[in-house]
């Protein structure tokens, strides 16, 4: 049987978004949104800011809006609107010159007639339109002169049609009388259809019949009378704005010249009727606006109308990109218009931004709270916490003897999982997987495992274990105004998120309480802390924070209490018996006594305490050092960028100390 070969062509998918394209990467968007949320912005505002800024190697809305405005300025600064007048003047000069040459060559002509003709040509009005109209009845002696003059009428006819129907100038460049009659027939039928539509008497059959007769004049392929009216009205309104943008002299010249279009007064009458019908059907179009053109490149009536349409489209894109109207979404963007004006890459950027917005709002990363505002969802918090914990782990892994946060526990029962050995690990080796790794590496290097194996560090895997010692962890974070003023607000929140993710995913038996202390202290869940705006009230009420920590520890008496305190200032407030907060600067002696007394009570419960001192204030340094000594605690003074790694590391260290104290390592 014969074999039939079939060939196939492959190219860029043009039917909308590529169905095989990978989903958008939300990691960058989520990180940026969360960073702004932690800085005090609402999630809605944070998402809008990310969409405006864009991401790595991707334009944002502001970039696209800037390019839209630049293109608008370019159109106005590169063009002027007298292109048709210039073309007509050149054709007129050619006709007059050729006629004079013919008169000079024609020896058989009567001298009187020659003199009269030369005088008529010599005394033509300076106005191009007036000269063209005066020569309308002139009996040309030169064939080339007559041809040049007829080209003026043809040019004007094609230009006035191009103003209403894009592409008509080229389509009628070599038009015959039959072609012109077809245009007149189309205009008559169009005006009849629009008249019936205005009166509500048209039917779908009327539209289909019209398109069957004259569809070749409408490359936009409208599917209904309404779509047809929209297309024509936008073009006609742009033609009106073009005339309004001309100088009064240019406008008068063109209005006079239009009478010569195709030498057919009927054409102008049909176009005037069409304009009136479109203006009545679409009064909302801009029929009276104007623009200031200041360039050197002349535009004809058709091209100028196209430029005015481009400017109107750019203005609509600018409004869409601003997203300043109620209920705005990036799905409102006209991607086809954006591609026309700025190129396909701009449309791709906008489509990606729209997909990010849709995925963030509809994909579960932002959810609407009871008050109607958008908030980071638990899914978003988990993803962000995972990213922040990974950052902290990366910082920890660069410290000698440190432990990666991927460990499942400090000691105890094996989980059945294993991981690559890291410096500082004390878990037992997973011998089977270690040997398997060595065999695979040896064979990949071309060796023979039967002749012996040499272990490499990268081959070693250790068995993950669950920690038997559970901890009740109270993370106290300073939210006084100085934290925000000194740039420590966001790092503090990032630290809380990283620790929260570690406890909730790796140490599920532990309990974590987040406590903020400013003028007062309060317990918060991670979502509340993340969304907490920067507070401007003064006061560092560590006393109240320690009271809440003590209550939390008493709720979990069987767990090892772990206290982590992050602060950048000495206590300046304490809680009074009636519940009010007493504030004083410099720190009051009573505030210090109350804070120290509460810390001593916690110390008697065996709390493991670590104080994270931010900043280099000598008074704070002395105070924190003495506080740590009272409970046999530790002081860590990290750079603000290392705060997350420092807190996570201390939490892990507390687990290790607890394991040693319980004898689990022996």
């Amino acid at each position: 049987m014969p074999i039939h070969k079939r060939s196939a062509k492959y190219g860029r998918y043009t039917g909308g978004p590529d169905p095989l394209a990978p989903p958008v990467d939300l990691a960058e968007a989520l990180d940026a949104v969360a960073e702004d949320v932690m800085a005090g912005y609402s999630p809605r505002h944070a998402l809008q800011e990310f969409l405006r800024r864009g991401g790595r190697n991707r334009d944002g809305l502001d970039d696209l809006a800037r390019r839209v405005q630049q293109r608008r300025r370019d159109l106005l600064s590169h063009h002027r609107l007298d292109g048709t007048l210039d073309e007509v003047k050149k054709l007129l000069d050619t006709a007059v010159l050729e006629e004079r040459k013919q008169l000079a060559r024609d020896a058989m002509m009567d001298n009187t007639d020659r003199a009269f003709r030369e005088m008529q040509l010599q005394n033509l009005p300076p106005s191009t339109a007036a000269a063209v109209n005066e020569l309308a009845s002139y009996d040309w002696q030169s064939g080339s002169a007559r041809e040049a003059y007829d080209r003026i009428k043809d040019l004007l006819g094609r230009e006035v049609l191009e103003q209403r129907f894009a592409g008509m100038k080229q389509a009628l460049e070599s038009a015959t009388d039959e072609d012109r009659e077809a245009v007149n027939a189309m205009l008559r039928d169009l005006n009849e259809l629009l008249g019936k539509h205005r009166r509500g008497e048209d039917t779908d059959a009327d539209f289909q019949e019209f398109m069957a007769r004259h569809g070749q004049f409408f490359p936009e392929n409208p599917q209904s009378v309404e779509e047809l009216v929209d297309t024509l009205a936008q073009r006609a309104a742009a033609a009106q704005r073009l005339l309004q943008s001309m100088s009064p002299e240019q406008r008068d010249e063109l209005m006079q010249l239009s009478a010569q279009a195709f030498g057919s007064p009927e054409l102008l009458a049909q176009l005037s009727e069409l304009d009136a019908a479109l203006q009545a059907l679409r009064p909302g179009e801009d029929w009276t606006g104007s623009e200031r053109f200041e360039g050197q490149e002349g535009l004809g009536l058709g091209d100028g109308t196209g430029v005015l349409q481009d400017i109107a489209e750019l203005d609509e894109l600018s409004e869409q990109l601003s997203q300043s109207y109620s209920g705005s979404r990036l799905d409102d963007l006209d991607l086809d218009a954006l591609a026309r004006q700025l190129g396909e890459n701009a449309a791709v950027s906008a489509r990606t931004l729209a997909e990010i917005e849709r995925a963030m709002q509809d994909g579960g990363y932002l959810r609407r709270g009871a008050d109607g505002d958008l908030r980071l969802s638990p899914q978003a918090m988990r993803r962000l916490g995972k990213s922040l914990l990974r950052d902290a782990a990366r910082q920890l892994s660069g410290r000698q003897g440190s432990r990666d946060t991927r460990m499942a526990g400090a000691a105890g029962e094996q989980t059945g999982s294993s991981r690559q050995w890291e410096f500082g690990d004390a878990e037992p080796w997973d011998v089977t997987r270690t040997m398997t790794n060595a065999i695979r590496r040896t064979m990949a290097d071309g060796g023979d495992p039967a002749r012996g194996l040499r272990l490499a560090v990268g081959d070693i895997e250790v068995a993950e274990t669950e920690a038997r010692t559970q901890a009740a962890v109270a993370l106290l974070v300073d939210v006084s105004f100085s934290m925000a003023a000194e740039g420590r607000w966001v790092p503090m929140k990032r630290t809380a998120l990283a620790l929260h993710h570690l406890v909730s995913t790796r140490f599920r038996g532990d309990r974590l309480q987040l406590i903020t202390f400013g003028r007062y202290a309060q317990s918060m869940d991670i979502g509340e802390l993340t969304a907490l705006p920067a507070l401007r009230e003064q006061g560092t009420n560590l006393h109240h924070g320690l009271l809440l920590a003590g209550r939390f520890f008493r709720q979990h008496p069987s767990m090892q209490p772990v206290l982590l305190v992050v602060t950048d200032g000495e206590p300046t407030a304490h809680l009074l018996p009636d519940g009010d907060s007493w504030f004083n600067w410099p720190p009051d002696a009573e505030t210090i006594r109350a804070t120290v007394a509460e810390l001593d009570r916690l110390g008697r419960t065996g709390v493991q305490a670590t104080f994270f001192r931010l900043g280099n204030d000598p008074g704070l340094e002395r105070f924190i050092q003495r506080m740590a000594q009272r409970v046999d605690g530790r002081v860590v003074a990290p750079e603000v960028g290392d705060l997350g790694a420092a807190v996570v590391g201390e939490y892990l260290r507390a687990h290790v100390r607890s394991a040693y104290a319980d004898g689990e390592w022996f």
Side-chain angles (χ1 to χ4, degrees):
M1 296 180 63
I3 298 177
H4 299 282
K5 294 183 178 180
R6 294 194 298 177
S7 61
K9 286 187 175 181
Y10 298 91
R12 183 188 296 271
Y13 181 76
T14 58
D18 186 351
L20 300 180
V24 294
D25 182 10
L26 295 179
E28 182 185 11
L30 182 59
D31 287 347
V33 169
E35 194 78 8
D36 283 348
V37 168
M38 289 189 290
Y41 293 99
S42 70
R44 181 190 300 278
H45 182 77
L47 177 58
Q48 290 174 343
E49 284 301 307
F50 173 77
L51 296 175
R52 291 190 179 284
R53 294 193 304 265
R56 292 185 297 271
N57 304 318
R58 183 187 302 117
D59 284 344
L61 295 180
D62 286 348
D63 297 311
L64 295 174
R66 175 186 53 77
R67 291 173 59 190
V68 163
Q69 290 302 317
Q70 184 59 52
R71 172 153 173 76
R72 192 185 197 282
R73 288 192 294 269
D74 289 344
L75 290 174
L76 294 175
S77 63
H78 292 168
H79 299 106
R80 52 189 174 86
L81 300 180
D82 55 358
T84 297
L85 291 175
D86 280 351
E87 287 190 69
V88 170
K89 189 175 187 309
K90 289 176 183 177
L91 289 171
L92 177 63
D93 290 343
T94 299
V96 171
L97 178 60
E98 292 300 320
E99 181 69 4
R100 284 175 174 168
K101 289 179 181 179
Q102 181 63 36
L103 293 177
R105 290 193 300 266
D106 195 349
M108 303 298 294
M109 180 176 289
D110 179 75
N111 289 336
T112 301
D113 187 26
R114 179 188 293 110
F116 178 76
R117 290 175 180 278
E118 288 178 345
M119 182 179 65
Q120 187 176 1
L121 296 177
Q122 182 67 34
N123 294 323
L124 286 174
S127 164
T128 300
V132 170
N133 288 331
E134 186 169 313
L135 293 173
S137 58
Y138 181 81
D139 182 18
W140 298 93
Q141 300 301 301
S142 167
S144 57
R146 183 184 300 108
E147 180 183 354
Y149 184 81
D150 288 343
R151 285 170 59 194
I152 291 176
K153 295 187 289 184
D154 181 71
L155 171 67
L156 291 170
R158 290 186 291 123
E159 286 283 15
V160 296
L161 285 171
E162 176 83 1
Q163 279 190 287
R164 279 76 173 183
F165 307 94
M168 193 72 80
K169 182 179 179 180
Q170 290 75 24
L172 296 178
E173 189 167 3
S174 301
T176 63
D177 290 340
E178 289 77 10
D179 295 329
R180 298 188 187 97
E181 177 53 35
V183 172
N184 281 326
M186 181 272 290
L187 287 173
R188 287 193 295 270
D189 290 348
L190 178 59
N191 282 326
E192 181 181 353
L193 176 64
L194 296 185
K196 293 175 68 174
H197 186 63
R198 287 179 62 187
R199 297 188 299 271
E201 300 172 357
D202 64 312
T203 64
D204 184 63
D206 293 330
F207 171 73
Q208 298 299 336
E209 182 180 355
F210 174 82
M211 291 300 295
R213 289 181 183 176
H214 309 295
Q216 70 272 19
F217 294 107
F218 303 95
E220 302 88 355
N221 192 28
Q223 299 299 305
S224 66
V225 175
E226 291 294 332
E227 289 187 16
L228 177 64
V229 172
D230 285 340
T231 300
L232 294 175
Q234 291 169 6
R235 185 81 178 178
Q240 291 297 318
R241 294 195 300 275
L242 176 71
L243 293 176
Q244 296 295 331
S245 301
M246 294 178 176
S247 67
E249 295 77 17
Q250 291 174 332
R251 191 161 50 247
D252 290 343
E253 289 273 287
L254 283 171
M255 295 303 291
Q256 294 179 51
L257 283 171
S258 297
Q260 298 297 327
F262 288 149
S264 171
E266 181 187 1
L267 176 65
L268 289 184
Q270 294 283 359
L271 291 176
S272 296
E273 182 180 347
L274 174 62
D275 287 345
L278 292 173
Q279 193 160 354
L281 288 168
R282 292 294 184 270
E285 293 287 343
D286 184 4
W287 297 92
T288 59
S290 63
E291 300 292 343
R292 184 179 179 86
F293 289 83
E294 299 176 332
Q296 298 300 316
E297 182 181 342
L299 289 173
L301 294 179
D303 290 339
T305 299
V307 168
L308 265 297
Q309 274 193 290
D310 283 342
I311 289 176
E313 191 168 70
L314 289 167
D315 289 342
E316 289 182 10
L317 286 172
S318 183
E319 182 178 4
Q320 293 167 9
L321 290 168
S322 73
Q323 295 285 284
S324 58
Y325 49 93
S326 177
S328 60
R329 288 192 64 162
L330 289 187
D331 287 337
D332 302 338
L333 275 177
D334 187 339
L335 298 179
D336 291 334
L338 196 62
R340 281 194 299 271
Q341 298 298 336
L342 301 183
E344 186 61 33
N345 287 339
V348 170
S349 293
R351 183 182 296 116
T352 302
L353 292 174
E355 290 173 359
I356 289 174
E357 180 188 51
R358 193 180 310 114
M360 289 289 287
Q361 294 194 4
D362 301 340
Y365 291 104
L366 296 178
R367 69 177 184 182
R368 206 167 295 280
D371 55 1
D373 288 338
L374 290 177
R375 294 181 179 177
L376 291 177
S377 69
Q379 179 183 358
M381 302 292 288
R382 286 193 297 271
R383 182 164 180 167
L384 179 60
K386 181 178 180 180
S387 174
L388 296 175
L389 181 58
R390 189 185 303 116
D391 291 342
R394 192 177 297 115
Q395 290 176 294
L396 277 174
S397 63
R399 300 177 180 176
Q400 186 174 9
S402 63
R403 301 288 305 276
D404 193 316
T405 58
R406 290 175 298 177
M407 71 178 186
E413 296 296 331
Q414 295 185 8
T415 66
S417 300
S418 66
R419 58 176 175 78
Q420 189 174 9
W421 177 85
E422 299 277 347
F423 183 80
D425 281 331
E427 287 87 351
W429 286 16
D430 187 321
V431 178
T432 301
R433 293 182 182 179
T434 297
M435 298 302 294
T436 300
N437 292 339
I439 292 171
R440 289 175 176 171
R441 179 182 52 78
T442 300
M443 294 178 65
D445 293 341
D448 184 0
R451 296 187 177 183
L453 291 174
R454 185 180 296 273
L455 291 180
V457 172
D459 299 330
I460 302 173
E461 291 197 25
V462 295
E464 290 187 328
T465 59
E466 293 181 353
R468 295 195 183 113
T469 301
Q470 294 179 327
V473 184
L475 175 62
L476 277 61
V477 290
D478 188 345
V479 293
S480 61
F481 178 63
S482 60
M483 289 286 287
E486 297 297 331
R488 298 159 184 155
W489 193 260
V490 173
M492 173 270 291
K493 292 185 177 184
R494 292 171 66 91
T495 298
L497 266 169
L499 183 61
H500 177 270
H501 186 76
L502 175 61
V503 173
S504 61
T505 59
R506 299 293 184 179
F507 294 88
R508 294 187 177 92
D510 287 359
R511 294 295 176 264
L512 173 65
Q513 181 71 67
L514 302 175
I515 299 173
T516 63
F517 60 96
R519 179 67 68 94
Y520 291 89
Q522 60 178 319
S523 300
M524 290 188 175
D525 63 35
I526 190 61
E528 292 174 319
L529 178 59
T530 303
L532 184 68
L535 304 176
R536 292 189 172 272
E537 64 179 13
Q538 293 179 315
T540 306
N541 198 337
L542 179 57
H543 169 245
H544 193 186
L546 294 174
L547 283 170
L548 295 181
R551 179 189 304 170
F552 169 67
F553 293 146
R554 288 191 295 274
Q555 292 171 351
H556 302 88
S558 64
M559 294 184 176
Q560 170 63 46
V562 177
L563 177 68
L564 306 174
V565 180
V566 178
T567 185
D568 70 346
E570 298 176 72
T572 57
H574 67 280
L575 205 63
L576 298 175
D578 61 3
D580 286 340
S581 176
W582 168 266
F583 167 76
N584 191 70
W585 173 258
D588 187 80
E590 183 57 32
T591 296
I592 300 298
R593 280 195 295 271
T595 304
V596 170
E598 190 58 37
L599 180 67
D600 288 343
R601 274 191 285 273
L602 292 180
R604 288 192 289 272
T605 67
V607 68
Q608 295 181 13
T610 304
F611 296 85
F612 300 89
R613 174 175 57 82
L614 301 179
N616 298 311
D617 178 58
L620 174 64
E621 182 177 1
R622 289 191 298 270
F623 173 77
I624 291 294
Q625 195 64 45
R626 291 171 182 171
M627 290 280 282
Q629 290 172 355
R630 297 184 73 89
V631 291
D632 194 23
R634 286 169 47 83
V635 176
V636 180
E639 295 294 329
V640 69
D642 295 332
L643 179 61
V647 171
V648 168
E650 286 302 310
Y651 168 72
L652 295 174
R653 182 190 297 272
H655 260 285
V656 173
R657 289 202 302 268
S658 297
Y660 271 115
D662 292 346
E664 295 178 3
W665 286 64
F666 301 97

